[in-house]
Amino acid sequence: MKVYKRAILPIGFKANGVASGIKKFGKLDLALFFSEMPAKASCLFTTNTMQAAPVTVCKSNLNRSKYFRAIIANSGNANCFTSYAGIEDAKDCLEALAEGLSIKGKEALIASTGIIGKRLPLGKIRRAIPGLIAGLSREGIKKASSAILTTDTFTKQIFSRFVIGKRQVGIYAVAKGAGMIAPDMATMLCFIFTDANITQSALDKALKASVVDSFNCITVDGCMSTNDSVILLANSAAGNQLIKSGRNFKLFSFALRKVCTELAKLIVRDAEGASKFIQIHVNKAASFKEARKIALNIANSNLVKTAIYGEDPNFGRIVASVGATGIKVKQEDLKMSVSSLKKKDIYVKVTLNRGRRQAIVYTSDLTPEYIKINAQYN
Amino acid sequence: MKVYKRAILPIGFKANGVASGIKKFGKLDLALFFSEMPAKASCLFTTNTMQAAPVTVCKSNLNRSKYFRAIIANSGNANCFTSYAGIEDAKDCLEALAEGLSIKGKEALIASTGIIGKRLPLGKIRRAIPGLIAGLSREGIKKASSAILTTDTFTKQIFSRFVIGKRQVGIYAVAKGAGMIAPDMATMLCFIFTDANITQSALDKALKASVVDSFNCITVDGCMSTNDSVILLANSAAGNQLIKSGRNFKLFSFALRKVCTELAKLIVRDAEGASKFIQIHVNKAASFKEARKIALNIANSNLVKTAIYGEDPNFGRIVASVGATGIKVKQEDLKMSVSSLKKKDIYVKVTLNRGRRQAIVYTSDLTPEYIKINAQYN
């Protein structure tokens, strides 16, 4: 298996990105991902109860159709807390897209990211759709990957290639991250494309397993977004023997998990205002859940984050974060080590002596730059 | 009932504060509170499982004795994560104090605040105890209230006076706050003294009721401390008819609650680096617990806190915080208003349309100054 940080779409996929005018200054803000053949979809969405309109519409379409052809995604406007009108806006958007692509509206999915509480500028999107479709190409993924960004400073994408039988299979994933990043279903937009031939149940199983220790193990600010979506399309174009279970399923799952983990780390590396990339490794826990809970509580502690920003070792704040979870770790069992704080990459190891499970959570530090970015977002 | 922000001890109490050398530059760091007659005690401690040695020792003494005469408290060192040795240090401290005061060791309580993971400088404390005792006086409360501070910029104290029967009764409370402030039992040190004559069960009931919407409804940074303690001593010196239940209990409870609420607000006003005092009022909730959970989640959102710091109205971040609790508020039922962000005091009102309960949580904004203070704490 090979893994690259590159924009390579698997067979049968095309993409494009344009500036529709949702964002100012002619910035790319509207992306389209297209599969030439019907693709199975597997999706995971935010657990935030204030879910955005595109999440509602995706869930509805996933119930109405078994195969999908396209995903349209915009940045600059989250289409959230926009009431029933927002849902109609998302549906209208998909209808306009379906007409242009000569597919059915229920065969397309939609995602949005940006400011909450404002209506989508539907006119602008409608006017942009013909050009968006006309420009679809394999190379268009570069523009598409830029068009989904908000405060991100770089595009985040991972491509993996591996062999099933005698066929090459590819998985490409692209994400936007930056802020309002806290786990419990990937707190960002992520689109994954594979040309693998795989059953629906195997696809769902592989995706669920892949987010557990990737997107659900990262946090920037502990703030869960209303729009988080991971959408995975599999179009079978690789022509491999159908993946169901066994060795081939393991291979596909391993590759998908690797892609998700690397992408999750890229999101943390580009966290708003971050000056450090922090890996928190909790081991000898009674369960993965327990290890993850403690790691996340350390990762979300403003006091731990500021201490690391200040390169000021402060074990006490880690101790307090462990205890604040309510998990009854004995003080005499708790061991900690922190790598040199002078470096950009920080490794925090916490040992509990309660069992054999572990979890790794990735996070960033809390800096004056994070405050600057978020004090003037509008 | 009258309430003052002043240092007035009820009858029969004395106090003092000295510089023992735990802190540098001759800063006051050791406080003693003393009751001339045996006092009933009611205490609440942190729910953090990594509790500090003084918390462990207080719990033990509360089981061993029914009456108490003294509280010793130091700042600059939390005596937490110091293993069995830390517990012995706290006990030795109490023994030295008891000897000087000619009382029993089990009749004294202890509290510490400051850096976690370092042993108490026991020699310095022992040497300071004779002077600490010799200087006990009613006016000594001014020095005592300063000696418990860490990054606080002012002393926090509230005095309330009211009449039970024909006797005047007083309640005085003093606290340290500033950072590592998150609720679930008062996240700070707070000492409360009353000359009321009251039964043990009425005292306990009044204290528990008072912290629910005072200390347990404030948050600075969502970080729960290991040392939080509220210690209330009642020495009966007012000579009032014994308070058990009924009208007199209500009067005492009301006064205690008022004292706790005002003190809790003072803690938030002096939050580390804060430029705003924020009141988050969630109403029309199904229960107080639900209202408090939502209010706290809004209050602990770095995105909400930075938006208020930046005077940048961003309702979307409040919406996302409400939904992130998992409580199924309908989008069409959620109403929000925020007072002018240009002022120092901000009022956020959130209406859920789910019932008739409410909660008010007090918090501060997140500023570059908070980061500066906490990046260089050691």
Side-chain angles (χ1 to χ4, degrees), chain A residues 102-118:
Chain A
S102 300
I103 62 170
K104 292 176 186 159
K106 66 178 182 181
E107 292 172 336
L109 297 168
I110 184 165
S112 300
T113 178
I115 192 143
I116 296 171
K118 287 191 180 170

PDB file of all heavy atoms in Angstrom, chain A residues 102-118:
ATOM      1  N   SER A 102     -28.088  15.900 -15.787  1.00  0.00           N
ATOM      2  CA  SER A 102     -29.026  14.884 -16.279  1.00  0.00           C
ATOM      3  C   SER A 102     -29.051  13.646 -15.378  1.00  0.00           C
ATOM      4  O   SER A 102     -28.971  12.500 -15.843  1.00  0.00           O
ATOM      5  CB  SER A 102     -28.689  14.474 -17.726  1.00  0.00           C
ATOM      6  OG  SER A 102     -28.757  15.601 -18.562  1.00  0.00           O
ATOM      7  N   ILE A 103     -29.107  13.887 -14.098  1.00  0.00           N
ATOM      8  CA  ILE A 103     -29.295  12.793 -13.131  1.00  0.00           C
ATOM      9  C   ILE A 103     -30.533  13.137 -12.300  1.00  0.00           C
ATOM     10  O   ILE A 103     -31.148  14.188 -12.504  1.00  0.00           O
ATOM     11  CB  ILE A 103     -28.054  12.600 -12.206  1.00  0.00           C
ATOM     12  CG1 ILE A 103     -27.812  13.872 -11.362  1.00  0.00           C
ATOM     13  CG2 ILE A 103     -26.824  12.248 -13.035  1.00  0.00           C
ATOM     14  CD1 ILE A 103     -26.784  13.703 -10.266  1.00  0.00           C
ATOM     15  N   LYS A 104     -30.878  12.259 -11.355  1.00  0.00           N
ATOM     16  CA  LYS A 104     -32.005  12.559 -10.472  1.00  0.00           C
ATOM     17  C   LYS A 104     -31.513  13.349  -9.250  1.00  0.00           C
ATOM     18  O   LYS A 104     -30.392  13.133  -8.777  1.00  0.00           O
ATOM     19  CB  LYS A 104     -32.671  11.266 -10.011  1.00  0.00           C
ATOM     20  CG  LYS A 104     -33.383  10.538 -11.138  1.00  0.00           C
ATOM     21  CD  LYS A 104     -33.936   9.217 -10.649  1.00  0.00           C
ATOM     22  CE  LYS A 104     -34.521   8.422 -11.817  1.00  0.00           C
ATOM     23  NZ  LYS A 104     -34.621   6.982 -11.516  1.00  0.00           N
ATOM     24  N   GLY A 105     -32.377  14.208  -8.719  1.00  0.00           N
ATOM     25  CA  GLY A 105     -32.023  15.014  -7.551  1.00  0.00           C
ATOM     26  C   GLY A 105     -31.622  14.162  -6.356  1.00  0.00           C
ATOM     27  O   GLY A 105     -30.714  14.502  -5.601  1.00  0.00           O
ATOM     28  N   LYS A 106     -32.270  13.013  -6.220  1.00  0.00           N
ATOM     29  CA  LYS A 106     -31.973  12.147  -5.070  1.00  0.00           C
ATOM     30  C   LYS A 106     -30.630  11.425  -5.211  1.00  0.00           C
ATOM     31  O   LYS A 106     -30.165  10.792  -4.262  1.00  0.00           O
ATOM     32  CB  LYS A 106     -33.107  11.138  -4.853  1.00  0.00           C
ATOM     33  CG  LYS A 106     -33.261  10.128  -5.973  1.00  0.00           C
ATOM     34  CD  LYS A 106     -34.362   9.130  -5.658  1.00  0.00           C
ATOM     35  CE  LYS A 106     -34.487   8.088  -6.776  1.00  0.00           C
ATOM     36  NZ  LYS A 106     -35.546   7.119  -6.519  1.00  0.00           N
ATOM     37  N   GLU A 107     -30.010  11.528  -6.390  1.00  0.00           N
ATOM     38  CA  GLU A 107     -28.705  10.878  -6.601  1.00  0.00           C
ATOM     39  C   GLU A 107     -27.524  11.794  -6.297  1.00  0.00           C
ATOM     40  O   GLU A 107     -26.377  11.476  -6.598  1.00  0.00           O
ATOM     41  CB  GLU A 107     -28.591  10.383  -8.051  1.00  0.00           C
ATOM     42  CG  GLU A 107     -29.544   9.241  -8.375  1.00  0.00           C
ATOM     43  CD  GLU A 107     -29.540   8.902  -9.852  1.00  0.00           C
ATOM     44  OE1 GLU A 107     -29.182   9.771 -10.679  1.00  0.00           O
ATOM     45  OE2 GLU A 107     -29.903   7.759 -10.180  1.00  0.00           O
ATOM     46  N   ALA A 108     -27.838  12.964  -5.722  1.00  0.00           N
ATOM     47  CA  ALA A 108     -26.761  13.906  -5.386  1.00  0.00           C
ATOM     48  C   ALA A 108     -26.782  14.198  -3.889  1.00  0.00           C
ATOM     49  O   ALA A 108     -27.827  14.124  -3.238  1.00  0.00           O
ATOM     50  CB  ALA A 108     -26.919  15.195  -6.174  1.00  0.00           C
ATOM     51  N   LEU A 109     -25.612  14.518  -3.355  1.00  0.00           N
ATOM     52  CA  LEU A 109     -25.488  14.858  -1.933  1.00  0.00           C
ATOM     53  C   LEU A 109     -24.945  16.280  -1.816  1.00  0.00           C
ATOM     54  O   LEU A 109     -24.375  16.820  -2.772  1.00  0.00           O
ATOM     55  CB  LEU A 109     -24.576  13.845  -1.236  1.00  0.00           C
ATOM     56  CG  LEU A 109     -25.116  12.403  -1.248  1.00  0.00           C
ATOM     57  CD1 LEU A 109     -24.044  11.410  -0.823  1.00  0.00           C
ATOM     58  CD2 LEU A 109     -26.358  12.285  -0.348  1.00  0.00           C
ATOM     59  N   ILE A 110     -25.137  16.868  -0.646  1.00  0.00           N
ATOM     60  CA  ILE A 110     -24.769  18.276  -0.490  1.00  0.00           C
ATOM     61  C   ILE A 110     -24.121  18.520   0.867  1.00  0.00           C
ATOM     62  O   ILE A 110     -24.465  17.862   1.851  1.00  0.00           O
ATOM     63  CB  ILE A 110     -26.011  19.189  -0.695  1.00  0.00           C
ATOM     64  CG1 ILE A 110     -25.631  20.674  -0.640  1.00  0.00           C
ATOM     65  CG2 ILE A 110     -27.130  18.869   0.295  1.00  0.00           C
ATOM     66  CD1 ILE A 110     -26.697  21.612  -1.176  1.00  0.00           C
ATOM     67  N   ALA A 111     -23.173  19.450   0.903  1.00  0.00           N
ATOM     68  CA  ALA A 111     -22.509  19.807   2.162  1.00  0.00           C
ATOM     69  C   ALA A 111     -22.178  21.291   2.135  1.00  0.00           C
ATOM     70  O   ALA A 111     -21.923  21.854   1.069  1.00  0.00           O
ATOM     71  CB  ALA A 111     -21.236  18.989   2.328  1.00  0.00           C
ATOM     72  N   SER A 112     -22.228  21.903   3.308  1.00  0.00           N
ATOM     73  CA  SER A 112     -21.936  23.337   3.412  1.00  0.00           C
ATOM     74  C   SER A 112     -21.070  23.593   4.634  1.00  0.00           C
ATOM     75  O   SER A 112     -21.149  22.867   5.621  1.00  0.00           O
ATOM     76  CB  SER A 112     -23.236  24.142   3.571  1.00  0.00           C
ATOM     77  OG  SER A 112     -24.088  23.948   2.467  1.00  0.00           O
ATOM     78  N   THR A 113     -20.260  24.659   4.588  1.00  0.00           N
ATOM     79  CA  THR A 113     -19.459  25.055   5.742  1.00  0.00           C
ATOM     80  C   THR A 113     -19.264  26.562   5.702  1.00  0.00           C
ATOM     81  O   THR A 113     -19.147  27.142   4.621  1.00  0.00           O
ATOM     82  CB  THR A 113     -18.104  24.328   5.774  1.00  0.00           C
ATOM     83  OG1 THR A 113     -17.361  24.794   6.893  1.00  0.00           O
ATOM     84  CG2 THR A 113     -17.301  24.563   4.504  1.00  0.00           C
ATOM     85  N   GLY A 114     -19.258  27.185   6.875  1.00  0.00           N
ATOM     86  CA  GLY A 114     -19.088  28.633   6.922  1.00  0.00           C
ATOM     87  C   GLY A 114     -19.920  29.204   8.036  1.00  0.00           C
ATOM     88  O   GLY A 114     -20.143  28.534   9.057  1.00  0.00           O
ATOM     89  N   ILE A 115     -20.434  30.388   7.838  1.00  0.00           N
ATOM     90  CA  ILE A 115     -21.167  31.055   8.909  1.00  0.00           C
ATOM     91  C   ILE A 115     -22.557  30.441   9.100  1.00  0.00           C
ATOM     92  O   ILE A 115     -23.199  30.016   8.137  1.00  0.00           O
ATOM     93  CB  ILE A 115     -21.221  32.578   8.661  1.00  0.00           C
ATOM     94  CG1 ILE A 115     -21.709  33.290   9.923  1.00  0.00           C
ATOM     95  CG2 ILE A 115     -22.082  32.949   7.457  1.00  0.00           C
ATOM     96  CD1 ILE A 115     -21.013  34.597  10.140  1.00  0.00           C
ATOM     97  N   ILE A 116     -22.970  30.366  10.363  1.00  0.00           N
ATOM     98  CA  ILE A 116     -24.264  29.788  10.730  1.00  0.00           C
ATOM     99  C   ILE A 116     -25.322  30.888  10.798  1.00  0.00           C
ATOM    100  O   ILE A 116     -25.042  31.987  11.248  1.00  0.00           O
ATOM    101  CB  ILE A 116     -24.146  29.068  12.102  1.00  0.00           C
ATOM    102  CG1 ILE A 116     -23.183  27.881  12.007  1.00  0.00           C
ATOM    103  CG2 ILE A 116     -25.501  28.626  12.638  1.00  0.00           C
ATOM    104  CD1 ILE A 116     -22.840  27.238  13.343  1.00  0.00           C
ATOM    105  N   GLY A 117     -26.544  30.554  10.336  1.00  0.00           N
ATOM    106  CA  GLY A 117     -27.675  31.464  10.543  1.00  0.00           C
ATOM    107  C   GLY A 117     -28.001  32.375   9.377  1.00  0.00           C
ATOM    108  O   GLY A 117     -28.867  33.239   9.488  1.00  0.00           O
ATOM    109  N   LYS A 118     -27.321  32.221   8.255  1.00  0.00           N
ATOM    110  CA  LYS A 118     -27.627  33.036   7.073  1.00  0.00           C
ATOM    111  C   LYS A 118     -28.126  32.154   5.938  1.00  0.00           C
ATOM    112  O   LYS A 118     -27.624  31.048   5.751  1.00  0.00           O
ATOM    113  CB  LYS A 118     -26.377  33.800   6.616  1.00  0.00           C
ATOM    114  CG  LYS A 118     -26.019  34.946   7.530  1.00  0.00           C
ATOM    115  CD  LYS A 118     -24.951  35.830   6.901  1.00  0.00           C
ATOM    116  CE  LYS A 118     -24.616  36.981   7.848  1.00  0.00           C
ATOM    117  NZ  LYS A 118     -23.437  37.734   7.426  1.00  0.00           N
TER     118      LYS A 118
END
